[in-house]
Amino acid sequence: MKVEVGDYAIGQPDGARRPVFFKVSGISKGIASGKIEKDGHLPQKDAIVEVPQAKILAVLNGDEPHRGKVFGCDTSRVYKGRKTHDKFGPLYWFYRPEGDVGDRVVRAFDKAYKTLKKNGLEFLIQPETCVWEIVPANGERYAGMYRRSANADKNPNRLIIRPEVMEEKDWVYCILHELSHHLHFEFLSGSKLEDSWVRLYNKSIKVTTVKKEDSQRLLDDLLGQESRPSDFRGQLGEDDAEAFKWILKAIKAQSKISLAELDLLFEADYGDDIRAVWPVRGVTRTDLDPLITEYATKNFKETLAEAVSWHLVGLKLPKEVVNLVEKTLSYVKSNH
């Protein structure tokens, strides 16, 4: 397949088991060569590949190749360049920001550093084993991500942010949030304080049960009246409506039947079919009672990261959360 210098291509090198995604930097005697795109921005992972033109499987012309999977290769992350922060090190960009967005992101890192310095936490940055990747939204809803490496010397920890999915005022918070994950894994894993964070997280998760007799009563009431399930729900009191919601979730999870499909069964007078999928035992329900944010109820790791980052940017937290954050920061500063 014809390929030119500057093209993004996917090809099968001689002796390789899988195709690779690379940017062509040279062509000589029927051999296309270039840097492999996957992790090619990292000095530890930098690799040049040579592919016979006869083994080029696809050419993705243009500066912005199709984002997705092509011949098993991920083409969604194309390195575009970097801006170097004097404290955080290289900020690797995987898209070209518009206008002065790049400079504004660097200024957010300036503010994050000042916050860390003020709190005696600048040692968390560790540019030797942590790299920052600035990526496009690509339909993702998460503003950032922390990817822990099993061997950071060979493959560094990744701290990823997506500036486009949040307001600019949240950029500093997001940087500190992802760095708080690093604080946790690097300095807190296995400590008694980690157990304290699990206990705090558990306080935001309330597990109760819709009793068997309440489930049966709601079923009898539903089948004993004329309103379809979706309308019946609106006629219930607050407690019964909440129980009905969890019963519907159980039916959806166990029988793959939605509320709309229950309506169809009801309208067809298939009461026995509704009885067949109705939970005959108590239904476990999990209610969230966030101490910080709803996202913090995802798991105890997010509880910790949300609490520490909120504390650092000066947002208000419950006293018990503040106390645990302060104990955590004091421990980390004493044991780093």
Side-chain angles (χ1 to χ4, degrees):
M1 182 175 291
K2 184 180 179 181
V3 66
E4 297 179 357
V5 172
D7 285 342
Y8 289 99
I10 293 174
Q12 185 98 21
D14 286 335
R17 296 176 59 188
R18 298 183 182 88
V20 295
F21 174 45
F22 69 107
K23 186 173 184 179
V24 180
S25 58
I27 302 172
S28 177
K29 297 180 181 180
I31 303 293
S33 60
K35 181 184 288 190
I36 295 177
E37 278 297 312
K38 183 179 180 181
D39 295 337
H41 59 297
L42 302 175
Q44 305 96 317
K45 309 284 282 185
D46 189 2
I48 300 295
V49 68
E50 293 184 342
V51 181
Q53 283 190 265
K55 290 189 175 182
I56 298 292
L57 304 175
V59 177
L60 290 70
N61 292 308
D63 189 49
E64 292 289 344
H66 170 77
R67 295 183 183 276
K69 288 276 189 179
V70 182
F71 289 102
C73 296
D74 183 4
T75 62
S76 62
R77 286 169 56 87
V78 178
Y79 175 56
K80 295 300 182 183
R82 73 183 191 183
K83 288 179 175 290
T84 300
H85 190 275
D86 61 349
K87 303 299 182 181
F88 285 88
L91 310 178
Y92 297 104
W93 288 77
F94 290 83
Y95 74 103
R96 288 198 171 91
E98 295 183 359
D100 65 344
V101 170
D103 292 333
R104 300 206 312 269
V105 168
V106 172
R107 288 198 290 272
F109 277 88
D110 289 338
K111 293 177 183 177
Y113 176 76
K114 289 178 181 177
T115 300
L116 293 169
K117 179 74 172 177
K118 178 182 177 182
N119 288 273
L121 296 168
E122 65 271 25
F123 63 87
L124 292 176
I125 296 174
Q126 299 185 322
E128 301 83 8
T129 56
C130 295
V131 298
W132 292 85
E133 299 177 347
I134 320 299
V135 303
N138 278 354
E140 297 280 353
R141 60 192 178 95
Y142 294 117
M145 183 182 301
Y146 175 75
R147 290 181 177 169
R148 181 73 176 172
S149 172
N151 187 338
D153 291 326
K154 293 184 177 179
N155 186 21
N157 303 304
R158 316 293 180 93
L159 296 94
I160 301 166
I161 64 171
R162 297 184 176 91
E164 294 178 336
V165 304
M166 57 185 145
E167 296 182 40
E168 186 171 345
K169 65 180 180 62
D170 294 325
W171 289 355
V172 173
Y173 146 76
C174 184
I175 293 166
L176 295 173
H177 177 102
E178 302 313 326
L179 205 54
S180 296
H181 281 303
H182 183 61
L183 174 153
H184 173 195
F185 283 97
E186 191 75 7
F187 302 104
L188 213 62
S189 293
S191 69
K192 290 184 178 180
L193 275 171
E194 190 178 41
D195 298 338
S196 298
W197 283 104
V198 174
R199 293 184 66 188
L200 182 69
Y201 163 73
N202 286 339
K203 288 186 177 182
S204 64
I205 307 297
K206 310 295 183 184
V207 179
T208 56
T209 301
V210 177
K211 295 180 180 178
K212 177 181 177 181
E213 53 267 31
D214 290 333
S215 177
Q216 184 63 50
R217 174 176 56 81
L218 285 168
L219 173 61
D220 293 340
D221 290 348
L222 170 65
L223 297 181
Q225 51 86 59
E226 297 183 354
S227 297
R228 59 184 185 169
S230 57
D231 296 326
F232 174 74
R233 179 175 58 177
Q235 301 167 13
L236 298 172
E238 183 177 345
D239 290 342
D240 279 349
E242 186 69 11
F244 192 71
K245 179 185 78 173
W246 285 97
I247 290 169
L248 293 177
K249 286 188 175 184
I251 293 172
K252 178 71 172 178
Q254 296 167 12
S255 303
K256 306 295 187 269
I257 293 178
S258 66
L259 177 57
E261 291 163 334
L262 281 178
D263 282 346
L264 292 175
L265 291 174
F266 187 89
E267 290 169 347
D269 201 23
Y270 290 161
D272 288 344
D273 293 79
I274 294 177
R275 286 186 185 277
V277 300
W278 202 266
V280 295
R281 298 179 179 177
V283 175
T284 300
R285 50 183 281 189
T286 303
D287 296 319
L288 302 180
D289 185 19
L291 290 168
I292 309 165
T293 63
E294 187 168 334
Y295 187 65
T297 64
K298 182 179 178 182
N299 53 53
F300 89 95
K301 300 170 189 175
E302 296 299 346
T303 298
L304 186 156
E306 282 284 80
V308 172
S309 54
W310 268 49
H311 180 76
L312 291 176
V313 298
L315 294 174
K316 188 175 181 180
L317 292 166
K319 186 175 180 179
E320 65 176 323
V321 179
V322 172
N323 289 341
L324 185 53
V325 170
E326 290 178 344
K327 286 181 181 178
T328 298
L329 298 184
S330 178
Y331 173 86
V332 169
K333 285 188 280 189
S334 298
N335 292 277
H336 75 275

